[in-house]
Amino acid sequence: MTTHDVFNQVPPLTGYDVADDPALLDGLFREGGGWATEEIHELGRLAGGEEAQEWGRLANEYRPVLRTHDRYGHRVDEVEFHPAWHELMKVAVGHGLHARAWTERAGAHVARAAKFYVWRVDAGHGCPISMTYAAVPALRQEPDLAREYEPLLTSGTYDFGLRPPLTKAGILAGMSMTEKQGGSDVRANTTRAVPQADGTYLLTGHKWFTSAPMCDVFLVLAQAPEGLTCFLLPRVLPDGTLNPMRLQRLKDKLGNHSNASAEVEYERAVAWRVGEAGRGVRTIIEMVNMTRLDCVIGAAAGMRQGLVQAAHHVTHRQAFGAALIDQPLMRNVVADLAVESEAATVLMLRLAGATDRGETAFKRLALAAGKYWVTKRWPAHSAEALECLGGNGYVEESGMPRLFRESPLNSVWEGSGNVAALDVLRAMLKEPETVEAYFAEVGAATGADRRLDEAVTRIKNELTDTATAELRARRIVERLALVLQGALLVRHGHPAVADAFCASRLDRDWGTAFGTLPPGLDLDAIIARATPKAG
């Protein structure tokens, strides 16, 4: 006998197109990647389907397992993954989310950003995808190595397994930079690189955090006789023997469970120099910028993912005699989450467009500020989206806890908040052309909105006080990012979204939590853009 009927439960959000996102599609065309629309919708429909969502769940439920030795005691240093991980990787590589943008037509980095954004059924497998993307510009500083490895890094074939890289149909790149005593201060690294007569180096040292240790090649920082230098280190040597890169353990992380992150020791591992000896930081700087861009894209994608889950839930859930979405306060919450999400999306596409067009000065400052702010906003955004589902959102089956656990990572990655904020100040001090490029960008919106104009004036006044700039670095960078987002929304965004952003974030008629937008805004238009059309 049944004791009750199940009712007022929300149907699963499946069978929809993740790329059905007005802010994404408008920006895709505006920034020059519109030619990829069909492929992005194809990927979006796959991401919104039940099968891909199950891949994401399984890849996180069954975490990678480290096998240091085989049954006979031989050192193997392999990481085993659930088959779902490999399915995710096949799709990502097959659609060129890794490094194909470096070989394609104009607008390829924008198109790639859009694809990376929609394919967020699992964040963890995005790590080796992102690192492979970022490795190409660093490797190009050593033309002979680039000539050999770049065609494989940009290949559309996912070819898993430990074999000599140059014998494979496609390869992935990882990074091995930080050590336990230094963290972001990579100049404190103690790993040593000893030059050999054949032009190679032997690396010995302990790396504290190496993501995706199953990759085929790694960019590694080590101390050469001339100083800190970048190296290319393969997992398997040309003769088929394992390079002595010993995986000590996998990190037990807060989230990002599908992705293996390892502690590694090098025992005279063979590597080739990349870039000028003693200029390792300069060699990897563009690589860092590319992974920072992916941090912004990933955070923007995570916000959109949380938003559509929340909007879907409150559309179908009844409470107090009406659908939740018809309750005025819930409408405020969802609209506020949508404004934050669209501001992040328009900024990440502008940064990808700057990458395509080589706008070095603008990107130098805007990317560091955007990385700081957008990644900082994601955890609060994720928590509020989870709360829209109530107790259901706190249960693993909803998927929201996994999204929430993921949300702090992108702020930590590639320079945590303080590092990013101080990097903005460094750019402003040493590269004044970056400030000119920034104000030229926001100046393009002059006169379109009084609140934006006043915010621009305020940030200019903030910058005149240099004595306490470092103490106020986060405050300065936050305002730089908000003004830039506001300018982009005023020029290119939906009028209702731009109005809500300027009223709350710039005119400061806003509380300290989401759901505190002022009266008089067009919430209907904002919410309509946020609500997914489920199949």
Side-chain angles (χ1 to χ4, degrees):
M1 184 180 82
T2 59
T3 59
H4 65 282
D5 294 324
V6 176
F7 64 98
N8 197 26
Q9 286 288 343
V10 175
L13 178 54
T14 60
Y16 78 109
D17 182 358
V18 176
D20 185 15
D21 177 342
L24 176 73
L25 296 176
D26 290 348
L28 179 68
F29 278 90
R30 182 174 63 250
E31 297 294 344
W35 50 266
T37 302
E38 184 176 341
E39 184 184 3
I40 289 164
H41 277 296
E42 176 190 344
L43 195 59
R45 289 188 293 270
L46 183 59
E50 188 173 350
E51 182 180 41
Q53 291 181 20
E54 182 67 357
W55 289 341
R57 185 189 73 80
L58 290 171
N60 283 272
E61 184 75 17
Y62 300 96
R63 303 187 193 186
V65 176
L66 173 61
R67 306 294 185 195
T68 57
H69 297 77
D70 67 11
R71 59 183 291 193
Y72 303 107
H74 301 120
R75 191 92 199 199
V76 293
D77 292 296
E78 290 186 341
V79 181
E80 293 180 358
F81 293 86
H82 188 275
W85 165 274
H86 298 297
E87 296 298 331
L88 293 165
M89 291 295 292
K90 285 177 189 175
V91 172
V93 173
H95 281 271
L97 274 66
H98 58 321
R100 200 168 74 195
W102 298 106
T103 65
E104 291 185 317
R105 60 197 278 192
H109 291 279
V110 173
R112 184 257 172 194
K115 288 187 283 188
F116 197 67
Y117 176 95
V118 302
W119 186 242
R120 288 292 289 184
V121 290
D122 163 65
H125 83 288
C127 181
I129 296 297
S130 179
M131 291 189 297
T132 303
Y133 172 61
V136 171
L139 198 59
R140 284 179 174 177
Q141 296 182 57
E142 205 62 53
D144 289 343
L145 291 176
R147 200 162 24 252
E148 286 189 301
Y149 288 96
E150 187 173 324
L152 297 171
L153 291 168
T154 58
S155 165
T157 301
Y158 174 59
D159 189 359
F160 184 79
L162 293 181
R163 301 191 303 282
L166 297 180
T167 70
K168 300 182 73 174
I171 63 174
L172 297 171
M175 299 175 190
S176 198
M177 306 292 172
T178 60
E179 299 182 7
K180 53 184 175 289
Q181 75 285 349
S184 295
D185 183 11
V186 294
R187 294 185 189 278
N189 285 1
T190 61
T191 296
R192 296 292 166 185
V194 179
Q196 304 299 297
D198 63 358
T200 64
Y201 287 74
L202 297 183
L203 273 56
T204 301
H206 188 124
K207 294 294 183 179
W208 188 240
F209 215 96
T210 298
S211 280
M214 67 291 165
C215 286
D216 301 286
V217 296
F218 293 84
L219 290 172
V220 183
L221 286 178
Q223 300 286 356
E226 300 86 353
L228 193 66
T229 303
C230 183
F231 297 91
L232 180 74
L233 186 149
R235 282 293 314 269
V236 183
L237 295 171
D239 64 3
T241 60
L242 289 178
N243 211 358
M245 172 181 167
R246 311 303 190 196
L247 308 188
Q248 300 302 307
R249 58 173 174 165
L250 299 185
K251 299 292 193 178
D252 188 7
K253 298 170 293 184
L254 168 68
N256 205 246
H257 291 158
S258 68
N259 178 40
S261 300
E263 203 169 320
V264 175
E265 286 188 354
Y266 298 112
E267 299 175 5
R268 293 171 57 83
V270 179
W272 285 263
R273 180 174 52 80
V274 177
E276 187 179 345
R279 304 297 295 274
V281 173
R282 180 178 290 274
T283 301
I284 68 168
I285 205 70
E286 187 59 17
M287 179 184 74
V288 171
N289 282 335
M290 292 299 98
T291 48
R292 281 184 175 179
L293 174 59
D294 276 5
C295 286
V296 177
I297 299 169
M303 286 191 211
R304 177 69 183 182
Q305 191 174 2
L307 168 65
V308 296
Q309 290 287 348
H312 174 75
H313 181 90
V314 301
T315 297
H316 291 273
R317 183 79 165 179
Q318 299 280 324
F320 308 110
L324 281 173
I325 194 59
D326 294 330
Q327 311 280 1
L329 189 53
M330 182 58 79
R331 294 177 67 74
N332 197 321
V333 171
V334 174
D336 209 355
L337 291 172
V339 169
E340 194 73 33
S341 173
E342 291 210 26
T345 300
V346 73
L347 177 56
M348 74 95 171
L349 287 167
R350 178 66 183 90
L351 293 171
T355 301
D356 264 313
R357 293 185 290 273
E359 299 173 51
T360 306
F362 168 73
K363 185 182 169 188
R364 172 68 182 90
L365 192 151
L367 178 56
K371 194 273 182 186
Y372 169 85
W373 182 241
V374 174
T375 61
K376 280 286 182 205
R377 296 300 294 156
W378 187 16
H381 190 279
S382 179
E384 196 67 61
L386 182 155
E387 191 172 330
C388 288
L389 278 65
N392 290 328
Y394 202 68
V395 175
E396 287 291 341
E397 289 173 319
S398 72
M400 299 302 279
R402 173 155 59 96
L403 188 67
F404 180 70
R405 287 193 297 270
E406 196 70 36
S407 63
L409 176 59
N410 288 22
S411 185
V412 174
W413 216 252
E414 296 305 343
S416 56
N418 284 356
V419 172
L422 293 173
D423 192 36
V424 172
L425 295 191
R426 189 179 305 111
M428 296 174 74
L429 178 65
K430 296 186 175 181
E431 303 169 69
E433 67 275 12
T434 65
V435 181
E436 295 173 10
Y438 170 87
F439 282 110
E441 178 72 24
V442 301
T446 298
D449 190 288
R450 169 196 58 80
R451 299 161 296 189
L452 174 61
D453 292 345
E454 291 175 355
V456 172
T457 299
R458 285 196 297 272
I459 188 60
K460 286 181 176 179
N461 291 337
E462 281 268 354
L463 298 180
T464 60
D465 178 9
T466 58
T468 61
E470 185 169 331
L471 178 69
R472 296 179 297 111
R474 287 186 174 222
R475 177 188 178 106
I476 291 169
V477 175
E478 174 181 325
R479 293 185 177 180
L480 286 169
L482 285 171
V483 166
L484 178 55
Q485 287 180 316
L488 292 170
L489 286 171
V490 165
R491 292 177 63 200
H492 308 302
H494 189 282
V497 176
D499 184 33
F501 186 93
C502 290
S504 55
R505 279 75 169 165
L506 300 184
D507 210 28
R508 297 175 286 190
D509 190 359
W510 196 33
T512 53
F514 285 104
T516 54
L517 294 173
L521 301 174
D522 186 359
L523 301 189
D524 290 347
I526 299 171
I527 292 170
R529 292 165 63 83
T531 305
K533 301 176 182 64

